[in-house]
Amino acid sequence: MVWKDFVPQFLRFPLIIFIIVVYMFSGGIYMSAVAEMTGTWGWINEDVMMAGYASMTGLTMAFPLLFRILFRFTTRDVLLFSGAVFIICDYICMICDFLPLVVALSFISGFFRIVSTFVCWSSIQLKITPKRDFAVFFPFLFTFVLGSVQLVNVATGYSIYAFDWQAMHRITIGAFILVFALVYFCMRSKFRQGPYIPFKGIDYLGGIMWTLWLFCIIFICVYGEHYDWLDGEPIRIAIAFAVILLLMCLQRAATIRHPYINIRTFSQHNMLYIFILFGCMTLMSATATSTQNIFTSSILGYDARHNADLNWGITAGIAVGTGFFFMALTKWKWRIKDIVLTGFVSFLLYQTMLYFLIDPSTEKYMLYLPMLLKGAGVSIVYTSLTYALAGCVTFEYYFEAMCVIGFIRTSFGGPLSSAIMTRIFNNVKQANTANLGSYIDPMYYNCESFQTLYSEFQRQMLMVSLKEVYGWAVIMAVIILLAILLSDYRVHLGARASQMLRLSQIWRQVRHKSD
């Protein structure tokens, strides 16, 4: 109903989906362009990654405020303001080399990305599932959300190959201008999805404190290897700040009337198990974002274009995974535990296949099946655990629980897992360098030049190290699978898991919480 009368009925749903996809392309910084940005601005890789994870942190910290924003502003105003923010943030991030400003703008862009897309999804959820069934809504939702993340990587890689890294920013700015005009001229200015609720009872200071704590954790994970962990003073200072901030956040959550994240959220049913499983998922995904890129770039010699092509396999896997979740839950009546287990089996198959494919003769088409399995694993685990969370947590704490789960799912989980895999890879590489180095002298007599010999030595050492890291990843995946099989982890799903609340019911609960 947000559209004006002259917009045809058959176009209204596709237009909302189009707006969602365009807004998902926002973010300030595109981490797929890390090599090109470091060359342009004289940054190090960690600087670009810090800005990229700041965007994901902004997305995470927006969850407790989503319904407050939905009931405070009209749909048109939220989308127009978000579009203007995206245009400004993307433009400044394209031309600015002042890292703190880029990090701050990336955080703002991530915050408004989830706000704007949430408003859009709220307006079409009854079109997707008139029965308000989460088992139908979540697969549809995460197909577009997770798929859009991969399409961003594809578009970034193609734009770098054709033009430069700034081309992606210019393309998204043009798309935001188009969407801004569409919203401005075609949406009703007074349409609101629920009765008005003012911004009262919001713990802004608590939100800032939790955000600073997440930034400290991300800084430690991203820059830890650069500063040699505890041997570096910045890391020790960041750890001290993180401990102090965490204690302050928990004390505030336990003492004030309306905290940003209620202390009871952490003790909700199955919260710890779901948090741990999401952590295992990010750890299994780390080999695809760090170790795999070393293989494709250094061993196979792929450029941005060919690395981007691999994301098509992940995108197809995401669609397969969400489709599998829908069929397993609604048609085959599987338990959530069995669906989660299937997702981790898909991760195990991905790790195993990559272990045997680490070779300079590997063709690109051979990597598409592992990429499909990786995408399927992510979407199955992501969708099923989010569905489980809806069945374990009451609505009063649900969006705060989504924020807490987002700590590991979309905020520091990625850099923490990458830091672990990078540390393992560096230790393995150092050991293999020492072991293989003893064979250089006898090999030198059979080689035309030392440069040729050293180049081959580096390649062999890298392949051995990568294979060993993937071997450890397979072992970790097997341990996780055994832990899930042997655990007493169960999700007791009631009516609130199978059916979403009506907007009027949500409004009453949000209104009561703001008093």
Side-chain angles (χ1 to χ4, degrees):
M1 294 187 294
V2 68
W3 297 104
K4 293 182 178 179
D5 293 336
F6 66 83
V7 179
Q9 287 286 344
F10 70 92
L11 282 179
R12 297 184 179 188
F13 183 81
L15 285 175
I16 290 290
I17 296 296
F18 170 73
I19 293 173
I20 290 171
V21 172
V22 171
Y23 280 12
M24 286 298 298
F25 272 59
S26 65
I29 287 296
Y30 301 97
M31 288 189 282
S32 301
V34 58
E36 289 73 16
M37 291 191 65
T38 54
T40 301
W41 300 131
W43 292 347
I44 59 176
N45 289 352
E46 288 79 0
D47 295 335
V48 180
M49 302 306 290
M50 185 70 192
Y53 287 122
S55 174
M56 302 303 293
T57 302
L59 185 151
T60 301
M61 293 308 300
F63 274 103
L65 298 179
L66 290 180
F67 273 111
R68 301 302 303 271
I69 295 173
L70 182 70
F71 295 136
R72 171 61 179 81
F73 300 101
T74 65
T75 301
R76 182 174 179 268
D77 289 344
V78 172
L79 296 181
L80 288 178
F81 187 79
S82 298
V85 168
F86 295 147
I87 293 171
I88 295 171
C89 289
D90 269 36
Y91 179 74
I92 296 178
C93 289
M94 179 179 65
I95 63 173
C96 179
D97 62 350
F98 184 56
L99 183 61
L101 178 60
V102 173
V103 170
L105 291 176
S106 297
F107 175 84
I108 294 171
S109 183
F111 183 93
F112 282 99
R113 176 172 56 176
I114 187 64
V115 168
S116 56
T117 53
F118 174 78
V119 169
C120 291
W121 285 115
S122 298
S123 66
I124 61 173
Q125 65 178 12
L126 290 180
K127 184 72 173 179
I128 299 170
T129 169
K131 296 182 179 180
R132 303 177 183 272
D133 191 352
F134 274 132
V136 177
F137 181 69
F138 278 156
F140 191 90
L141 169 70
F142 289 120
T143 299
F144 281 91
V145 171
L146 299 176
S148 295
V149 173
Q150 303 306 318
L151 292 179
V152 169
N153 295 331
V154 171
T156 304
Y158 285 3
S159 63
I160 291 172
Y161 180 79
F163 305 103
D164 53 41
W165 68 267
Q166 293 171 322
M168 186 62 185
H169 291 263
R170 294 191 290 268
I171 293 171
T172 53
I173 289 172
F176 290 142
I177 292 174
L178 175 62
V179 169
F180 188 93
L182 177 68
V183 172
Y184 184 84
F185 291 108
C186 299
M187 284 191 176
R188 303 179 189 274
S189 59
K190 302 298 182 181
F191 178 80
R192 190 187 305 275
Q193 295 192 40
Y196 175 84
I197 297 179
F199 273 180
K200 292 181 180 179
I202 297 177
D203 180 21
Y204 297 106
L205 179 59
I208 294 172
M209 291 167 58
W210 279 111
T211 301
L212 292 176
W213 176 73
L214 289 176
F215 271 115
C216 286
I217 302 298
I218 293 171
F219 179 87
I220 294 167
C221 297
V222 171
Y223 288 94
E225 197 69 28
H226 178 73
Y227 288 113
D228 202 14
W229 296 102
L230 293 178
D231 289 334
E233 184 178 358
I235 301 301
R236 295 197 298 268
I237 294 174
I239 292 174
F241 272 107
V243 172
I244 294 171
L245 282 169
L246 179 59
L247 294 175
M248 293 173 61
C249 289
L250 293 176
Q251 188 273 338
R252 186 174 181 84
T255 55
I256 71 170
R257 183 183 178 188
H258 293 304
Y260 198 81
I261 300 176
N262 197 300
I263 195 69
R264 294 191 182 93
T265 303
F266 297 92
S267 60
Q268 291 295 298
H269 181 60
N270 276 331
M271 271 289 293
L272 179 60
Y273 297 106
I274 294 173
F275 190 89
I276 292 173
L277 288 172
F278 266 120
C280 294
M281 183 197 74
T282 57
L283 185 61
M284 292 296 96
S285 300
T287 52
T289 55
S290 56
T291 315
Q292 178 189 299
N293 288 339
I294 298 174
F295 170 57
T296 56
S297 300
S298 301
I299 303 300
L300 301 182
Y302 289 177
D303 56 10
R305 163 71 185 279
H306 289 86
N307 275 322
D309 286 340
L310 298 179
N311 287 281
W312 288 115
I314 301 177
T315 305
I318 288 170
V320 170
T322 52
F324 171 83
F325 170 82
F326 174 78
M327 295 297 296
L329 190 65
T330 61
K331 305 297 183 182
W332 307 330
K333 306 300 180 182
W334 284 20
R335 297 182 304 165
I336 289 294
K337 178 179 178 178
D338 296 332
I339 301 175
V340 172
L341 190 67
T342 305
F344 280 105
V345 168
S346 185
F347 274 120
L348 174 61
L349 293 175
Y350 158 76
Q351 312 282 11
T352 306
M353 291 188 69
L354 258 295
Y355 177 85
F356 291 105
L357 287 174
I358 295 177
D359 188 273
S361 63
T362 298
E363 299 289 343
K364 187 167 71 171
Y365 74 87
M366 299 178 183
L367 298 174
Y368 281 114
L369 180 57
M371 296 300 102
L372 186 144
L373 290 170
K374 189 261 182 181
V378 169
S379 61
I380 291 171
V381 176
Y382 208 101
T383 309
S384 56
L385 290 182
T386 306
Y387 180 83
L389 188 67
C392 299
V393 180
T394 60
F395 178 80
E396 180 182 1
Y397 302 109
Y398 179 67
F399 277 83
E400 294 177 14
M402 289 285 286
C403 182
V404 173
I405 293 299
F407 291 172
I408 192 73
R409 186 176 65 177
T410 54
S411 185
F412 67 75
L416 176 60
S417 300
S418 295
I420 293 172
M421 298 306 299
T422 301
R423 187 65 176 175
I424 293 173
F425 175 75
N426 288 339
N427 289 337
V428 168
K429 187 171 67 173
Q430 291 174 4
N432 288 328
T433 300
N435 293 334
L436 295 177
S438 61
Y439 296 97
I440 286 184
D441 287 341
M443 291 172 58
Y444 179 68
Y445 298 104
N446 299 321
C447 188
E448 296 179 0
S449 67
F450 183 78
Q451 182 178 2
T452 303
L453 173 64
Y454 186 73
S455 176
E456 180 62 22
F457 165 75
Q458 288 286 346
R459 190 174 70 134
Q460 294 294 334
M461 180 271 297
L462 201 57
M463 284 192 294
V464 170
S465 301
L466 288 170
K467 189 174 284 288
E468 189 169 344
V469 169
Y470 269 101
W472 283 110
V474 170
I475 293 173
M476 285 190 291
V478 172
I479 293 173
I480 291 171
L481 285 173
L482 291 176
I484 295 174
L485 283 171
L486 297 176
S487 69
D488 192 32
Y489 166 66
R490 294 185 179 90
V491 179
H492 302 287
L493 300 175
R496 59 177 179 270
S498 60
Q499 191 174 37
M500 295 177 281
L501 293 177
R502 295 181 179 275
L503 206 57
S504 58
Q505 297 172 306
I506 295 174
W507 180 87
R508 284 194 293 270
Q509 295 199 33
V510 173
R511 177 73 180 180
H512 175 74
K513 193 174 181 179
S514 65
D515 292 337

